[in-house]
Structure formats: C-alpha cells, structure tokens
Amino acid sequence: MQPDTPPLADRRSAFFTLLVTEAAERAGFYGMEAILLLFMVQQLGMADMGADLLVGAFAAMIYATPLLGGWLGDRVYGARRTVVLGAILLSAGYGLLALSTVYRTLFEPALALAATGNGLFKPNAAQLIRCLYEEHPQERDSAFTLYYMAANVGSALSMLCIPLVRDYAGSFTAFGLCVAGPACALGVLLARTHALRYTGSAPDKAPLLPRPAIGGATAIFLCTLAVMGVLSSASFARLAVFGCLALVAILWGALYRKAAARERLNLVTMGIMLLQSIAFYCFYQQMQTSLTLFALTNVDGTFRILGHPLFALSAAQFQALDPIFIILLSPLLAKLYHALASRNRDLSLPTKFAVGFGFVALAFFIWWSGTRLAGSGLTSAWPMLGDYFALATAELLIGGLGLAVIARYAPARLNGLMVGAYYLTVGAGMYLGSEIASFATPAANAAPLQNHHYETLFGTLGLCGLGLVSIALLLARMLSHMENRHQDAAQRFSVRANTDCSA
C-alpha cells in the first residue's frame, strides 16, 4: 500500500519528470507562438489590426479551455490521463498548422486543436504539482517558481531557434518542428508513469468507465468546434471573452455563497488577485503583439558597443529575452522565498503582486524613453534588453505565482476547476491586451518611423502600471487587515469553546 505522503526521493523524481514534461511542451507552444503573428502578417497577408485581434482571440481560447480541462481532470479522466490527452491534441494541432502553410483552410482548425490541447494539458500539469506538495506547503512557492522556470527553459530555446528555422527553411518546417515539443512530453509521461504514481486527482486512482470516457470525448470535440467559431469572428471572440469572465464571476459567487467563513476570506483574496492578474496580462500580451510589430519596423536589432556589432536578434527572437531572464531570475527568487519563509519574513502574495506592478511600470517607461530618444531613427536594441528584464521580473512576481494563489486560497476539493478559472482570467487579460495593442496600429499610408502610436502606447501603459502599484499596495494592506481580524476572531472563538468545555 502506498503512503499518503511520498518519500523525498520519490517526490523529487516526480517533480523532475513534471519539469521535463513542462519544458518540452512549452518548447513546442512558444516556438509556434513566436512566429504565428509574423506568419499571419507576412504570409497570410493579414492587416496588423486583424492579426493582433486574432492572436488575442487565440490567446483567450488558449486560457479559456483549461476550464474544461480542469473539470475533466477533477471529475472524469484524472489529472494524469488528461495531461496525456492534451499532449496528443497539441501534437495534432501543430501538425495541422504546418499543413496550413499549404492548405489555408486548415489554419483555424489547427489553432482550435492547439487551444483545446493546451486546455487539457496546462491545468492538470499544475494540479500534479499541487498534489505533490500538498503536505509540504512551505515548499510550494519555490516549487511553482521552479516549475515556471522549466517552462521558460523550453520556450527560450524554441523562441531563438524556430524563427531561424522559419527564415532558412520556411514556415512548414518551423511549425512541423514544433510538433516535437508535445510529442516528447507525451513520450516522457508514458515512459515515467511509475514516477508519477504518488500524484494525481481522485479519478486517476480508479478504472476509467466507458460512459464518462465517451462523455468527456464529446465535450472535447464540442469545445474544439466552439473555439473554431470564436476564431472565425472578431465580434464573436469579444462576446466569448466577456462571457467567460461572467462565467468566472458566477462561479466565484456560487462558491462564496456555499463557503464557510474561513473559505470566504480566502475566496475574497483570490478574487482580488485574479483581477490583478487580468490587469497584468494586458501588459504581458504586448510582447506578442505591439512589441513584436514594433521590433519588426522600428528597432535596430543589432546589439553594438562603441559602434562594433556583437549579435543581432530578429523581431520574433526578441521575445526569447523574456524566458531567458525568467530562467536566470527564477532560482534566485526561489532561494529568496525559501530563505524569507524559514525566518517567517516572507512577503505576502498580494505584496509580491504590488512589487511586480512596479517592474511593469519600469519596463514600459524604458520602452517609452527608448522610442522618444530615437526620434525619427530606429530604436536601439539595448533598451529592449532592459525592458524585457523588468517585465520578466514582473512576470515572476505576478504570473509565476498565479498558480500559487490558487493553491493557497482555492478550496482543495475544487483546485483543478479553479486552476481552469485562473487560466480563463489570464486569457481574458491577454485578449484585452491585444485590443489595447491594436490602438498602436500604424495608419495604412504612414511610414513606420513617422508613426508615434507606439510611443504614446508605451507611455500610457507606464502610467497605468504606476497607478496599479498604488492600488495593489492598498489592497495588500486591506487583505492583511482582514486576515488579522479573522485570526483574532478565530482565537477568541477557540478560547471561548475551551472555557465552555472546562465548565
């Protein structure tokens, strides 16, 4: 009989397996994402605004479908089985995307398959991590930070390599190479099944019955069709995003009404931090939209010292700076969290979010300054380096700890579903970010360097980041006050109960 708490060696083995799986799957995803917008603009002939909005709709679906994936992992297939299904669908989606370079009609079905596969994979991979550290909460923030780093190891390599493959071998080969990511993840999951025996949701421990299995497959098929519909219409996409946000609000309200007093406090905290997460991903989405198009036309991609060229990055490769900095910073932050926690001085999650928004503001002010100093010329590549460093730090403090927020505050019985709801808010933020990016679309008859839309956009986002710092700090103080009041009330109730028992 297996112990409830896995031994340290087995826990480390399972954690390593999940890190490798995440790195491989993310390599395929981010390699595809790095060239997707440029493929749409340069080869499919889409206008910048239309491409921005379609990328935003795809991002929204990428993060909306985990709601289905979380439910399937919690109630139907189990987290381990659902992760395997997700890897299969992702491989099929990227394969169709490669074929869409020849057969244009396959483009939307390919994106729909990729979005649905991601929805099955992401929440359940996170659920496996949560279950692994359920009895070791002091290690949870560090584990999720390292897990986030593993995703960025895969993404950094692919975002540097896949654009080069596209430049030299074409989009068909580049998208085809992305299939290797989820395919390798699938191979690792199947080969290392024994290592994951200590983690998983309740259905993983029971045989899979035919009726729920068929029902789950039907739900996956219908979800894929729905995503295709969303991607085919900008107005439908906008309606779907706001509908998803409404669904999250309804879910939160239903949970709040049924929750006990302690759970209600946790749900309020989680709700406030999910709203902050939506705001952050509006900024984050600029990397794939406005910043990529800005780098394509307005940035000198060659890094120079005293006029001597060192190396150059293409518009797509600039996106790799974010995961590279994530990789460098993640171990440092993980060690810092562990050291502070061991001294009972760790910052609360709301405070970490507030610090993260400070780095968001810094990043966009650096972009704004670089654009302004360039005047009518190309912006230097060096400000891009500082920008991505600041935004990567913010991502670790906000995006990297988003899953930790769910693990900390969501009811354990609904963790998979709430992870799906979290990803839903991420997708909404990224879609709204694409809407914001479309405001910087140059006029059709304007030369790129004569257009100041990007400068205005970056300055405005910097000011918004500063405003969010103040709001986040106020909310952190308010939540801390609520937590203290709740603890005082709980202590008084405990003392009164003990007195009554003694009497």
Side-chain angles (χ1 to χ4, degrees), residues 215-451:
T218 302
I220 293 171
F221 176 72
L222 294 176
C223 176
T224 305
L225 290 181
V227 173
M228 284 180 59
V230 169
L231 298 178
S232 65
S233 168
S235 57
F236 188 26
R238 189 177 293 109
L239 180 64
V241 168
F242 287 106
C244 287
L245 282 176
L247 182 62
V248 171
I250 292 171
L251 175 63
W252 183 91
L255 290 174
Y256 186 84
R257 284 196 300 272
K258 296 179 180 179
R262 175 66 187 182
E263 285 187 336
R264 285 189 172 187
L265 176 61
N266 286 346
L267 286 171
V268 168
T269 304
M270 186 178 68
I272 289 173
M273 296 183 73
L274 286 181
L275 290 175
Q276 293 182 62
S277 181
I278 292 174
F280 169 73
Y281 280 99
C282 289
F283 297 97
Y284 177 87
Q285 181 65 358
Q286 303 310 308
M287 286 192 287
Q288 195 189 352
T289 53
S290 64
L291 292 171
T292 296
L293 295 176
F294 172 68
L296 181 66
T297 56
N298 291 58
V299 174
D300 178 3
T302 302
F303 289 82
R304 295 182 174 86
I305 293 182
L306 299 176
H308 298 286
L310 299 177
F311 60 94
L313 295 177
S314 68
Q317 288 177 313
F318 269 110
Q319 298 177 62
L321 292 175
D322 177 64
I324 288 172
F325 285 129
I326 294 289
I327 294 166
L328 296 175
L329 292 169
S330 291
L332 299 177
L333 280 178
K335 288 182 180 179
L336 178 62
Y337 296 155
H338 185 75
L340 291 174
S342 65
R343 296 174 174 84
N344 292 320
R345 298 181 63 183
D346 195 11
L347 298 176
S348 67
L349 284 172
T351 303
K352 290 173 183 175
F353 272 41
V355 175
F357 280 118
F359 280 100
V360 166
L362 175 63
F364 281 95
F365 279 132
I366 294 175
W367 264 304
W368 174 79
S369 300
T371 307
R372 192 169 182 82
L373 289 173
S376 60
L378 290 170
T379 302
S380 168
W382 288 108
M384 300 287 282
L385 199 66
D387 305 328
Y388 275 99
F389 176 84
L391 202 54
T393 306
E395 185 180 348
L396 279 172
L397 289 165
I398 302 176
L401 292 176
L403 292 175
V405 170
I406 302 301
R408 166 68 177 82
Y409 296 111
R413 66 187 183 279
L414 296 171
N415 187 269
L417 185 62
M418 294 311 298
V419 167
Y422 164 71
Y423 281 124
L424 199 63
T425 62
V426 170
M430 294 179 80
Y431 179 80
L432 294 173
S434 292
E435 291 269 14
I436 292 169
S438 69
F439 297 149
T441 301
N445 59 351
L449 295 178
Q450 296 174 349
N451 198 294

